Amino acid sequence: MKLTPVIMAGGSGTRLWPLSRSLFPKQFLALASNISMLQQTVQRTEGLPAGKSVLLCNDDHRFLVAEQLRTLKYEGARIMLEPAGRNTAPAIALAAFDIVEQQNDALMMVMAADHVIENQQAFESSVLSAIELAKQDKLVTFGIVPNAPETGYGYIKRGASIESTAYTVSAFVEKPNLLTANEYLESGEYYWNSGMFMFKASVYLSELKKYAPAIYEACEKAYADKSEDLDFIRAGKEAFLNSPDDSIDYAIMEHTADAVVVPMDAGWSDLGSWSALWDIDTKDDNHNATNGDVILHNTKGSLVHATSRLVSTVGLEDIIIVETKDAVLVASKDQVQDVKEIVNKLKADGRSEFKHHREVYRPWGKYDSIDNGERYQVKRITVKPGAKLSVQMHHHRAEHWIVVSGTAKVTNGEKDILLTENQSTYIPVGVIHALENPGKVDLELIEVQSGSYLGEDDIVRFEDRYGRVDK
């Protein structure tokens, strides 16, 4: 029976702010490698006897997923868009319905896109040992062999041995306190709950219908109401919103009689905090982990991550410092779980730093807001070869475009013009315009906006090759 990876690429990664933002969360960041965690997860599947993946993400991240797959030259994946976050049980149900329809049935290897696995061989060994169990209609969960009394993970208690590499599931246990976590570690009977699973798509749907019928019915209807959008599959929004918000553990795994756990000892981490990144990162003789332009003096046990400028430290110990173009985090290493409280404060105050970086990615390229003030804003815009921004107009702002490198094909009202290095054009308020890169290299330009309102929502789109036309 075919093995189909199902990669869940939702989530906001608030505990890794300011590097992780809601529109560019941790699964799209290169934190533990020179490629993103999503890309690492996709590559991880290529060592398995598996077909192409089904990826689940939300609408805001769809172009990030597509671009990161394109960069890997990974073709043939099915990208399913969840209309809203409803936790893991409904998300996996959408993938299961798709696999049943497209493949008649298959084994699903369910993985999160934001986990690190350092030992590929051990990972593959555990997955291969689970295949026969899943073929026998078991619902397999992968339990991480613990190496510390971790209080940030849920645990799985194993029961009787059913094969040399698997056990029945005795219980799923919530995150313990430190004393209890030590007891779990010493007993040898508990594993960290990895959030990875394997089962037949048909078996998952059968168990979901039995134990969580409301989720089953909502997702069945949402999948039936799906639509195609470019390279994406959109589940029906109205039906999906009627689904209860529930995890696979609560909806199925804690109730089914067929749950088994396969141990995995593969250098796994969910990178749930900056201290977790420090744990797995390469360190110097003073146990410091650094990234970017960093100078340390009399500093120990710290993580310093710089993205856009020099960061220097003197006389620090067990500190986390993360610098981005628009925000800096300084935190005690033993309190980094509370970074999410900063994100909550930013949301409550209506600030943009929780949502996106100063540099924002778009399906056509990216822009960086390099300066702003009263009635003006300056952006550096990069347009990929062959890409085109939407045909649009603005009610409140005029724009000046100055080409730095490459060639720009510009629609400015009734005129179509080509601009090259050091050439420019002016677009008045209310004039319909468009920007395209007809060349073979990136187009770089400086955009100067001026006007009474400069928000990104002052855009009326008339045509757009990425399906973002205003109705």
Side-chain angles (χ1 to χ4, degrees):
M1 179 174 276
K2 190 174 181 181
L3 181 66
T4 299
V6 175
I7 301 174
M8 296 182 291
S12 58
T14 55
R15 288 176 295 178
L16 289 179
W17 184 88
L19 214 54
S20 177
R21 312 282 175 103
S22 67
L23 291 183
F24 204 95
K26 68 172 181 173
Q27 58 267 31
F28 303 111
L29 297 170
L31 290 173
S33 170
N34 59 354
I35 60 174
S36 76
M37 298 174 76
L38 169 64
Q39 290 171 318
Q40 284 184 283
T41 305
V42 170
Q43 286 190 341
R44 196 172 297 137
T45 69
E46 295 179 345
L48 301 175
K52 289 299 182 179
S53 299
V54 176
L55 287 100
L56 294 149
C57 68
N58 64 44
D59 190 76
D60 287 337
H61 300 152
R62 68 193 189 279
F63 294 117
L64 283 172
V65 170
E67 175 63 16
Q68 294 204 349
L69 294 182
R70 186 197 66 79
T71 302
L72 284 181
K73 296 181 171 57
Y74 186 85
E75 299 176 350
R78 291 178 66 78
I79 304 174
M80 300 198 66
L81 305 182
E82 302 172 75
R86 283 296 183 268
N87 217 315
T88 53
I92 296 168
L94 290 179
F97 279 115
D98 190 67
I99 288 168
V100 168
E101 180 179 278
Q102 296 293 315
Q103 305 181 42
N104 194 31
D105 200 4
L107 298 180
M108 302 173 66
M109 177 62 199
V110 179
M111 299 175 286
D114 57 356
H115 291 177
V116 170
I117 291 178
E118 297 178 322
N119 189 330
Q120 177 72 14
Q121 185 176 355
F123 166 77
E124 291 176 9
S125 177
S126 292
V127 171
L128 292 174
S129 69
I131 289 177
E132 289 305 315
L133 293 164
K135 285 181 178 178
Q136 298 166 27
D137 293 348
K138 299 297 183 182
L139 288 90
V140 180
T141 181
F142 294 88
I144 303 302
V145 178
N147 56 17
E150 177 61 57
T151 60
Y153 299 142
Y155 283 71
I156 302 166
K157 183 180 182 183
R158 75 186 190 198
S161 174
I162 53 174
E163 288 191 7
S164 60
T165 57
Y167 303 86
T168 60
V169 172
S170 176
F172 288 88
V173 185
E174 295 292 339
K175 298 174 183 177
N177 59 34
L178 184 59
L179 178 63
T180 304
N182 268 305
E183 292 174 354
Y184 290 170
L185 184 64
E186 292 172 5
S187 75
E189 297 179 346
Y190 291 81
Y191 304 104
W192 293 338
N193 189 345
S194 70
M196 292 187 288
F197 304 90
M198 187 189 294
F199 32 65
K200 291 179 184 175
S202 58
V203 168
Y204 178 80
L205 292 175
S206 175
E207 296 294 277
L208 188 68
K209 190 173 186 179
K210 181 188 301 183
Y211 296 111
I215 295 177
Y216 178 91
E217 291 165 10
C219 292
E220 181 182 40
K221 181 70 162 57
Y223 186 75
D225 292 344
K226 69 183 182 298
S227 60
E228 301 286 329
D229 175 8
L230 299 176
D231 296 326
F232 311 108
I233 303 136
R234 287 184 182 275
K237 183 174 182 178
E238 183 177 350
F240 194 75
L241 291 178
N242 288 328
S243 173
D245 183 325
D246 219 345
S247 71
I248 179 177
D249 288 340
Y250 287 125
I252 295 179
M253 298 302 290
E254 293 186 0
H255 305 289
T256 182
D258 293 313
V260 299
V261 57
V262 170
M264 180 182 290
D265 190 2
W268 174 91
S269 171
D270 73 346
L271 277 194
S273 68
W274 287 112
S275 60
L277 181 61
W278 178 87
D279 284 339
I280 68 168
D281 215 341
T282 303
K283 303 175 188 66
D284 63 18
D285 292 341
N286 291 315
H287 305 290
N288 297 306
T290 61
N291 181 276
D293 192 3
V294 175
I295 298 175
L296 307 179
H297 176 72
N298 193 25
T299 297
K300 300 177 181 178
S302 296
L303 181 147
V304 184
H305 189 108
T307 66
S308 66
R309 73 199 86 178
L310 168 66
V311 175
S312 55
T313 68
V314 177
L316 298 181
E317 187 169 354
D318 295 335
I319 295 295
I320 302 293
I321 300 175
V322 183
E323 176 272 335
T324 66
K325 291 179 179 179
D326 62 346
V328 177
L329 169 72
V330 180
S332 174
K333 198 165 68 181
D334 62 1
Q335 295 188 44
V336 290
Q337 297 290 347
D338 290 338
V339 170
K340 60 185 177 181
E341 299 303 325
I342 300 295
V343 176
N344 292 338
K345 175 66 173 170
L346 293 171
K347 287 182 182 179
D349 292 346
R351 299 187 56 150
S352 64
E353 290 92 342
F354 86 90
K355 193 172 186 179
H356 55 73
H357 289 272
R358 201 185 79 177
E359 189 171 70
V360 177
Y361 286 83
R362 290 287 188 256
W364 43 261
K366 62 183 179 180
Y367 68 83
D368 187 359
S369 298
I370 57 180
D371 193 18
N372 64 82
E374 187 176 355
R375 296 184 63 87
Y376 81 91
Q377 181 169 218
V378 183
K379 293 182 176 180
R380 182 171 61 245
I381 294 176
T382 304
V383 185
K384 297 182 294 188
K388 181 181 180 180
L389 283 67
S390 57
V391 179
Q392 60 185 253
M393 60 88 71
H394 311 293
H395 290 293
H396 302 286
R397 73 175 186 248
E399 295 176 343
H400 298 256
W401 292 345
I402 305 100
V403 175
V404 176
S405 64
T407 301
K409 182 180 179 181
V410 177
T411 298
N412 189 345
E414 298 297 321
K415 299 182 295 182
D416 288 324
I417 56 178
L418 284 177
L419 300 177
T420 57
E421 186 173 327
N422 290 326
Q423 294 181 323
S424 64
T425 190
Y426 167 68
I427 301 164
V429 173
V431 171
I432 295 175
H433 58 280
L435 175 64
E436 182 176 358
N437 180 0
K440 301 295 185 183
V441 298
D442 283 352
L443 164 63
E444 301 276 351
L445 60 85
I446 299 297
E447 177 183 84
V448 181
Q449 303 175 357
S450 60
S452 59
Y453 180 74
L454 305 174
E456 283 300 307
D457 53 350
D458 180 25
I459 298 177
V460 180
R461 292 187 175 95
F462 300 99
E463 298 175 24
D464 184 73
R465 61 178 59 175
Y466 311 108
R468 302 172 300 163
V469 175
D470 296 293
K471 306 299 183 183

